[in-house]
Amino acid sequence: MQKLKPLSRVLVLHSDFCLLTSTAIPSAILSTMDAITLTRQLVDIESISGNEAAVGNYLYGELTRIGYQTRRMPVEGDRFNLYATSPEQPNPEIVFSTHMDTVPPFIASSEDAVRIYGRGSCDAKGIIAAQIAASERLRREQLYVGLLFVVGEERDSLGARVANEYAAAQQAHACKYLINGEPTENRIALASKGTLRVEVTASGRMAHSAYPELGESAIDKLLDTLTRLRAMPLPTDPEIGPCTLNIGLIEGGRAPNVIPDYAHADLLYRLIAPSQDLRRQILETAGDQVKIEFPLELPFLRLRTVDGLPTMIASFTTDIPKLTNWGEALLIGPGSIHVAHTDGEFIDKQQLAEAVDLYCTIAKTLL
């Protein structure tokens, strides 16, 4: 049984994930659409990437209970996306979307007068709560949007890829706009930097460390290559900012007294333009003593905006490049990316409330 731990009482999910409560404390969705309470309930369901089934089942049960046509979209194993629409408009022109998964480790919720804390509070369970609240408000005004909550955004965007295939297969799919939620402090993104992942692998020959001349150090080759790559000039844009490099992982060697025959590094570039020139520059700078592979790229994107809203440049990537069949994309959400993925992750309650208003305003503008 999956247990939820809201503000004042434990709520227990039955095996079919319909909410069972005492009569004293109704569900946050069922009663006042309290986005603060819902955020805490979602945070308290651990959903690290690969383990999203429990939070997906909770949302499925609650959205179905309040009248949405809610579909589980199988992804992998017991993992699934959720797509919820109103019976009055099963093929909406606008869909609110974000992700259900979080990075590790799990951190339970807490709050003070101004903030909600915990893993996923801003990235992106508070955003889920704000989008559901906005959808409910619009529904009362007879304006209907869809809700798309996906898995795997923090790892490989697998849920987004499956959702894109789903949209392509639906003949009645009529979505024109995707309002994607990520922590942008309620500013609408003009653009989102892309991602280019680079794997650098060096090979050598083992030998006793007392006789280095008999071996060939893969680590020395890797270090020389990384030094050149770090010194390589990267492009910049006066509006978007610089392309940046992070050397995120280095591994190699056998033991301190063994000349290493293997070394590997994972690099991540944040893109501000198409990657062809950068790829060529990386290969030329790295030289022929290492093997270079490019296992992942998410492109740099310029995004649709809405007049009158404060703007920002998202230096991070999102699921948007994998959701091309869901219409023209906008990117906005409460919370700061600067605290996402930290042990002190939080979302301001005031920003959460403002996000509900913003999502409604943007939807009305687009409709």
Side-chain angles (χ1 to χ4, degrees):
M1 298 177 75
Q2 173 69 42
K3 294 186 177 180
L4 303 181
K5 195 174 183 181
L7 298 180
S8 58
R9 179 166 298 197
V10 173
L11 306 180
V12 183
L13 291 179
H14 192 261
S15 60
D16 64 359
F17 292 92
C18 291
L19 192 64
L20 301 178
T21 75
S22 71
T23 56
I25 306 292
S27 160
I29 302 179
L30 289 175
S31 56
T32 61
M33 201 52 248
D34 180 351
I36 293 173
T37 304
L38 178 56
T39 297
R40 289 200 60 179
Q41 289 179 341
L42 294 174
V43 168
D44 285 336
I45 306 174
E46 186 266 297
S47 60
I48 293 167
S49 300
N51 194 38
E52 304 96 335
V55 74
N57 278 312
Y58 171 62
L59 285 167
Y60 175 86
E62 290 304 289
L63 290 170
T64 301
R65 185 185 293 273
I66 61 173
Y68 285 87
Q69 294 178 337
T70 310
R71 280 145 280 186
R72 291 184 178 95
M73 195 183 294
V75 173
E76 179 186 65
D78 65 352
R79 304 168 70 198
F80 56 89
N81 301 327
L82 284 179
Y83 182 43
T85 57
S86 299
E88 298 88 346
Q89 179 49 276
N91 296 296
E93 294 185 355
I94 295 175
V95 168
F96 295 156
S97 180
T98 191
H99 57 95
M100 297 182 287
D101 64 314
T102 70
V103 297
F106 171 72
I107 303 172
S109 74
S110 61
E111 68 176 295
D112 57 27
V114 296
R115 293 173 175 173
I116 306 167
Y117 301 89
R119 178 62 73 229
S121 52
C122 76
D123 189 18
K125 292 179 176 180
I127 295 171
I128 291 175
Q131 290 183 341
I132 294 174
S135 177
E136 281 293 276
R137 184 183 300 176
L138 290 166
R139 190 161 68 149
R140 289 195 295 270
E141 300 176 24
Q142 297 185 325
L143 298 170
Y144 305 104
V145 300
L147 297 166
L148 175 67
F149 302 135
V150 301
V151 301
E153 189 271 347
E154 298 288 6
R155 181 178 296 172
D156 55 10
S157 292
L158 178 59
R161 293 201 296 271
V162 170
N164 219 37
E165 294 168 1
Y166 171 89
Q170 300 300 306
Q171 293 182 349
H173 184 72
C175 185
K176 293 182 179 179
Y177 302 103
L178 180 81
I179 303 177
N180 189 246
E182 290 286 351
T184 69
E185 301 180 60
N186 284 338
R187 296 176 291 163
I188 196 162
L190 299 172
S192 173
K193 286 187 178 180
T195 292
L196 180 65
R197 182 177 163 192
V198 183
E199 293 184 351
V200 185
T201 305
S203 299
R205 185 173 66 254
M206 284 190 289
H208 195 292
S209 65
Y211 303 93
E213 69 276 9
L214 299 180
E216 187 179 356
S217 173
I219 288 180
D220 285 349
K221 293 179 183 179
L222 181 66
L223 292 177
D224 290 344
T225 301
L226 295 180
T227 298
R228 292 194 298 273
L229 289 174
R230 291 183 65 204
M232 187 181 84
L234 297 174
T236 188
D237 181 278
E239 180 186 22
I240 307 303
C243 173
T244 58
L245 163 64
N246 179 57
I247 301 174
L249 176 68
I250 297 177
E251 60 184 5
R254 305 288 181 173
N257 59 347
V258 178
I259 301 299
D261 64 330
Y262 170 82
H264 178 90
D266 286 345
L267 284 57
L268 197 70
Y269 289 85
R270 297 290 177 175
L271 302 174
I272 62 167
S275 69
Q276 291 89 336
D277 290 344
L278 179 62
R279 286 172 180 250
R280 182 170 59 252
Q281 190 179 7
I282 290 169
L283 290 170
E284 292 173 353
T285 301
D288 58 6
Q289 286 199 312
V290 296
K291 179 182 179 182
I292 299 290
E293 294 180 291
F294 302 99
L296 174 68
E297 178 175 351
L298 296 173
F300 164 77
L301 294 176
R302 293 189 181 272
L303 300 166
R304 185 186 177 97
T305 60
V306 173
D307 291 341
L309 296 182
T311 61
M312 58 89 71
I313 302 296
S315 294
F316 52 88
T317 52
T318 72
D319 274 335
I320 289 174
K322 302 297 184 182
L323 292 169
T324 54
N325 293 326
W326 291 82
E328 195 171 5
L330 300 85
L331 176 63
I332 188 170
S336 171
I337 197 67
H338 296 152
V339 300
H341 300 192
T342 71
D343 57 3
E345 182 176 348
F346 68 86
I347 192 168
D348 284 326
K349 294 178 181 179
Q350 183 62 36
Q351 273 197 17
L352 193 62
E354 290 169 354
V356 179
D357 295 335
L358 277 170
Y359 285 133
C360 289
T361 298
I362 294 171
K364 290 177 182 178
T365 301
L366 296 175
L367 287 172

